[in-house]
């Protein structure tokens, strides 16, 4: 009945496949159904007094920013009374944490302000989210899969066997991310929908916590969003949905923690689908596309989701930070002068952790000594560089696996994965992971998960150690060899090669080209605070290369005589951008201005499917002291 | 990559007048007596001042330079001398098969590109192979393609054609499940298909590019490219009205030959000296060039002068179209002009040059992708960036 009316009022055939609300204004009947008068836009961004001007610029995360602005504007009085832990400031900033927004709270439906809010925002966000969903649902795995395929391709270029599995995944993390946030973006809707969303978010949370049922997250979110898309339902229907969800929840709870996520995904999804499809406007494309897909290739998707890493932690999200602090092995003093622009990044005072960690050595009985050692090395800066850190970590894991024995009553696959996860979070505390390490960890976990159940424990351990060895050999050492051989063909006699900082693969290239007897000169460009180039310079001079050393201030001065620029990279992202030591972009841009070819040397295992538009959204912060003190 | 070759365009409007395809495809011409397996390309080794690739082109195009004449005479006497050796060598198992022979036989056909000749020769290798296992066959094929490649290292299309053949023919999953004989016949089938596609390529490109030639347009052409010739020929046959400006194409004067051919088709032609390109660019509607090779960046390597023409055209906002068969897609990524193996070609200045004066004899240059508008290939009309996509897809 209701659905019919919707289709009458919106008779256009526009919603085939991709749902794009072309009109930015919400359909008027959305509020009429709620029997709430349309009010003026009470929750505009200007209403929020607390919004600091220095943030990630709003246009980039349009929907997100607006959404928490709105939720903050309305939410403050209620939520602050109910959840004293979060002050309103946090509510402003918590962009990804679903529980943080109003949605977690069952707000009484007769709050007219809220509803008008919904009506005003709905059309806008509806369009926004449907755009997202059409990307997510009608192309299963959308653009991300493309990039992953390409990445595998590149892997082969390096002359190695492509490990298809570990490199899959990842992209979907962004997807989940987006969808979670988009459902938060919708802020407020009818009660049933809020319920549904709450459910979804709970499931999402659970899924991010343990990797149990990743597949469920997406389904649930999509379900709720398609609900929101429809804008309103009758009371009876709302009741029905609520009922179904409650049932599903109960069923999920009965199965314990991890299954909750799975059941939360599959259970309500299945129960809900029947009614929702029946009354659905057939034109609502995303629901149909979504459900079609769900019916079609369910298992592969679940497979894909399993490898997805949890969304990156946002450090301006107080709730999460507190939670992670509780789990932390040692306490990290937060930086006193936190820069607003970097609030979402971990900002810790460096210096005291090492002693703190060392003093706790004996208390950390759960920590394997090899992992502890690697962690201390990271913290002290003894092991730096993507490859070195990655190899050190993998070697430590090898020792862990060698010393591992399955506790009684547990399975190796589950327990070892959990153990490795805890070690990884320890390593993250010591220093944020590099992309290469992230990829290696993903590989490692997928190898563990894919172990055949028939293997005995010793066999499994041997297989895993073997896998790690192969990873190091094929993805790092052999890849370097291939890169070196390939890059050396681009060095001609009489060249002047410029390099920045100290990249081990670039160093290998220079030495190899020198061994080949090519006549060339090297310009080592260096920068404060680390002066890594000095060590490189010494090593090159020791091998008899002719070198010039300069600081990055002089790069434009030196560039005119340079014929090639060789740079290392921490990661190459899927849009072709490079993530590397600070200053690299500067060198590359100067080189470009001088029309000097820039060659990035990067092993394929460091490729990452993320897309990053600037260096602020995700980065690792250095030490304040080093920048200030000479 | 070839699964979606644009060859359908041929199937739709079959036009058999130009090439009676059957006469060329399956029966190789009788082997000639001049076959020198020991030293397949005598000219190459003796005189490094001229690229073998350009020798072949000169032979095909009938552009006779005095140098070339002398060399070919030498080569003929040398070949007769070494001919006897071959009999001793080949007498082991009746008549031993040699790729180079096969290649040379195919190469004799004036309209057959070098790369297609190589592809045909490699197909013949599979056919004549006595290998018993897949691995053996693959090794044999690899050897054959290596010897073909070393026959002329300066030819990009030859190298690329061999590489692509190996990729296309041997990389099929269907081989895994079959016994050797059926796998072998499958390989032969694929090889034939590849040869066929490559052979038809020029025609497909001509068809595809017809949409871009409009009545009353002026086309600037640089050098003599058989693909471009085919394009213009078909446009003329389709009763399009257009004017062609031909550069002279020093040093081998290939532009003169093109002008000659076009005049035969009653297309209005104007000859320019190479340095008059910028002068005439304002009346030009589009630039049409061929390519010796298309590289991973999407740029092309072509006869010397292409780069500057592309630069002039770019600065005057004129489109630059490249006609190139997909077997010219090479795995190269030149960073600058001198980043390739040089292909040299002697230049006849007409007057004696003092020995102190150095002469730049490179025969080709590299045009970066940002100066190209579109590439007409047998895979379709591609932007330069798609070329890199195709190459990545194929090779990785």
């Amino acid at each position: 009945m209701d659905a019919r009316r919707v289709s009458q009022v919106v008779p256009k055939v526009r919603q085939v496949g991709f749902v794009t609300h072309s009109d930015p204004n919400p359909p008027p009947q959305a509020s009429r159904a709620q029997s709430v008068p349309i009010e003026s836009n009470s929750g505009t961004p200007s209403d929020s007094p607390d919004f600091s001007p220095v943030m990630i610029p709003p246009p980039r995360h349009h929907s997100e920013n607006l959404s928490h602005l709105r939720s903050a504007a309305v939410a403050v009085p209620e939520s602050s009374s109910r959840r004293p832990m979060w002050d309103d400031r946090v509510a402003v900033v918590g962009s990804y944490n679903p529980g943080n927004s109003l949605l977690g709270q069952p707000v009484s439906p007769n709050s007219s302000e809220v509803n008008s809010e919904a009506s005003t925002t709905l059309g806008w966000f509806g369009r926004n989210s449907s755009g997202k969903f059409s990307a997510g649902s009608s192309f299963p795995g959308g653009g991300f899969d493309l990039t992953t395929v390409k990445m595998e391709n590149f892997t082969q270029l390096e002359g190695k066997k492509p490990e298809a599995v570990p490199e899959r995944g990842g992209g979907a993390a962004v997807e989940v991310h987006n969808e979670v946030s988009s459902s938060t973006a919708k802020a407020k809707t009818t009660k049933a929908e809020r319920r549904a969303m709450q459910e979804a978010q709970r499931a999402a949370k659970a899924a991010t916590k343990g990797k149990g049922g990743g597949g469920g997250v997406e389904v649930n979110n999509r379900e709720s969003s398609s609900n929101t898309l429809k804008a309103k339902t009758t009371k009876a229907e709302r009741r029905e949905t609520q009922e179904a969800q409650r049932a599903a929840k109960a069923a999920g709870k009965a199965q314990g923690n991890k299954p909750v996520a799975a059941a939360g995904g599959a259970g309500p999804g299945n129960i809900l689908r029947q009614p929702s499809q029946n009354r659905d406007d057939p034109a609502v494309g995303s629901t149909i596309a979504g459900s079609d897909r769900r019916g079609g290739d369910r298992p592969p998707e679940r497979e894909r989701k399993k490898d997805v890493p949890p969304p990156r932690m946002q450090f301006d999200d107080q709730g999460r930070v507190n939670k992670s602090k509780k789990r932390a092995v040692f306490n990290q003093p937060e930086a006193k002068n936190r820069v607003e622009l970097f609030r979402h990044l971990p900002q810790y005072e460096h210096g005291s952790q090492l002693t703190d960690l060392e003093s706790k050595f004996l208390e950390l009985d759960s920590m394997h000594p090899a992992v502890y050692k690697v962690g201390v090395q990271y913290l002290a800066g003894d092991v730096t560089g993507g490859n070195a850190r990655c190899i050190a970590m993998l070697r430590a894991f090898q020792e862990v696996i060698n010393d591992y024995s399955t506790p009684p009553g547990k399975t190796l696959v589950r327990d070892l994965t959990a153990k490795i996860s805890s070690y990884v979070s320890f390593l993250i505390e010591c220093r944020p992971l590099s992309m290469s390490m992230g990829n290696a960890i993903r590989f490692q976990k997928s190898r563990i998960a894919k172990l055949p159940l028939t293997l005995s424990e010793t066999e499994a351990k041997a297989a895993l150690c073997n896998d790690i060895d192969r990873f190091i050999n094929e993805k790092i050492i052999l890849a370097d060899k291939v890169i070196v051989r390939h890059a050396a063909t681009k060095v001609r006699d009489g060249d002047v090669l410029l390099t920045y900082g100290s990249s081990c693969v670039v160093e290998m290239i220079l030495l190899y080209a020198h061994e080949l007897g090519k006549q060339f000169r090297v310009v080592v460009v260096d920068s404060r605070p680390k002066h890594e180039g000095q060590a490189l310079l010494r090593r090159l001079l020791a091998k008899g290369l002719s070198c010039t050393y300069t600081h990055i201030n002089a790069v434009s001065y030196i560039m005119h005589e340079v014929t090639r620029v060789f740079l290392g990279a921490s990661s190459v992202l899927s849009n072709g951008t490079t993530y590397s030591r600070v200053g690299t972009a500067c060198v590359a841009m100067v080189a470009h201005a001088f029309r000097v070819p820039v060659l990035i040397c990067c092993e394929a295992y460091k490729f990452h499917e993320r897309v990053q538009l600037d260096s602020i959204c995700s980065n690792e912060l250095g030490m304040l002291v080093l920048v200030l003190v000479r | 990559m070839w699964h979606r070759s644009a060859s359908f365009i041929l199937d739709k409007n079959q036009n058999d007048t130009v090439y009676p395809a059957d006469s060329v495809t399956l029966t190789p011409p009788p082997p000639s007596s001049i076959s020198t397996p020991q030293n397949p390309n005598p000219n190459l080794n003796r005189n490094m001042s001229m690229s073998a690739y350009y020798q072949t082109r000169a032979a095909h195009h009938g552009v006779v330079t005095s140098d070339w004449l002398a060399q070919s005479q030498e080569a003929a006497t040398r070949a007769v001398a070494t001919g006897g050796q071959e009999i001793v060598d080949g007498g082991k198992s009746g008549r031993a098969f040699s790729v180079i022979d096969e290649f040379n036989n195919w190469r004799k056909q004036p309209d057959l590109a070098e790369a297609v000749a190589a592809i045909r020769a490699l197909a013949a290798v599979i056919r004549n192979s006595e290998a018993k296992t897949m691995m053996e066959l693959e090794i044999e094929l690899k050897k054959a393609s290596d010897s073909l490649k070393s026959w002329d290292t300066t030819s990009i299309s030859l190298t690329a054609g061999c590489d692509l053949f190996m990729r296309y023919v041997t990389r099929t999953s269907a081989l895994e499940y079959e016994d050797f004989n059926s796998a072998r016949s499958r390989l032969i089938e694929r090889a034939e298909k590849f040869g066929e596609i490559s052979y038809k390529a020029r025609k497909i490109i001509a068809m595809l590019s017809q949409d871009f030639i409009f009545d009353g347009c002026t086309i600037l052409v640089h050098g003599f490219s058989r693909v471009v010739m085919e394009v213009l020929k078909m446009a003329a046959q389709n009763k399009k009205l257009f004017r062609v400006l031909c550069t002279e194409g020093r040093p081998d004067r290939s532009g003169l030959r093109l002008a000659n051919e076009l005049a035969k088709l009653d297309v209005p032609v104007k000859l320019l000296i190479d340095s008059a390109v910028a002068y005439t660019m304002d009346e030009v509607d589009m630039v049409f060039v061929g390519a010796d090779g298309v590289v991973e960046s999407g740029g092309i390597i072509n006869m010397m002068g292409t780069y500057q023409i592309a630069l002039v055209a770019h600065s005057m906002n004129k489109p630059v179209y490249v006609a190139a068969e997909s077997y010219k897609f090479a795995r190269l990524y030149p960073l600058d002009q001198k980043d390739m193996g040089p292909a040299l070609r002697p230049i006849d200045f007409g007057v004696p040059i003092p020995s102190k004066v150095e002469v730049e004899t490179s025969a080709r240059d590299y045009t970066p992708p940002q100066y190209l508008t579109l590439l007409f290939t047998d895979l379709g009309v591609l932007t330069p960036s798609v070329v890199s996509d195709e190459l990545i897809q194929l090779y990785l």
Side-chain angles (χ1 to χ4, degrees), chain A residues 2 5-6 8-10 26-39 112 115-120 122 190 230-235 238:
Chain A
D2 215 343
R5 197 161 49 137
V6 171
Q8 272 169 11
V9 180
V10 192
Q29 80 277 4
S31 58
R32 215 181 301 140
Q34 306 287 8
S35 66
V36 168
I38 300 173
E39 285 179 18
S112 66
N115 275 325
S116 75
E117 179 82 13
S119 66
T120 48
L122 197 78
T190 60
K230 286 197 307 278
K232 75 221 138 136
T233 48
T234 62
K235 198 163 184 183
R238 283 204 297 276

Side-chain angles (χ1 to χ4, degrees), chain B residues 264-328:
Chain B
K264 280 187 206 157
L265 297 170
D266 284 335
V267 175
V269 191
K270 192 188 207 176
L271 262 177
L272 317 169
I273 54 171
D274 290 331
S275 39
V277 169
Y279 172 77
T280 46
M281 191 55 86
D282 59 340
E283 54 181 300
V284 168
D285 288 313
M286 65 188 78
V287 177
F288 241 104
V289 289
D292 287 1
V294 180
V295 296
E296 275 177 344
S297 60
I300 58 166
I301 293 169
N302 195 29
M303 188 182 140
M304 187 63 89
T306 309
Y307 182 32
Q308 64 198 29
I309 290 177
L311 278 173
V312 170
H314 182 75
S315 71
M316 297 205 185
N317 280 334
K318 309 284 182 184
V320 179
Y321 298 135
V322 179
E325 300 92 328
S326 61
Y327 56 74
K328 286 177 175 168

Side-chain angles (χ1 to χ4, degrees), chain A residues 531-553:
Chain A
H531 295 297
E532 291 164 310
Q534 289 178 358
L536 174 71
L537 182 75
R538 287 219 180 82
R539 290 195 294 266
L540 292 180
L541 287 175
K543 297 271 173 157
L545 281 83
S546 94
C547 296
T548 306
Y549 178 85
T550 177
H551 272 195
I552 195 166
N553 321 38

Side-chain angles (χ1 to χ4, degrees), chain A residues 118-133:
Chain A
S119 66
T120 48
T121 53
L122 197 78
W124 206 91
F125 286 122
R127 179 180 60 159
N128 200 326
S129 65
S130 68
K132 265 175 193 158
F133 282 114

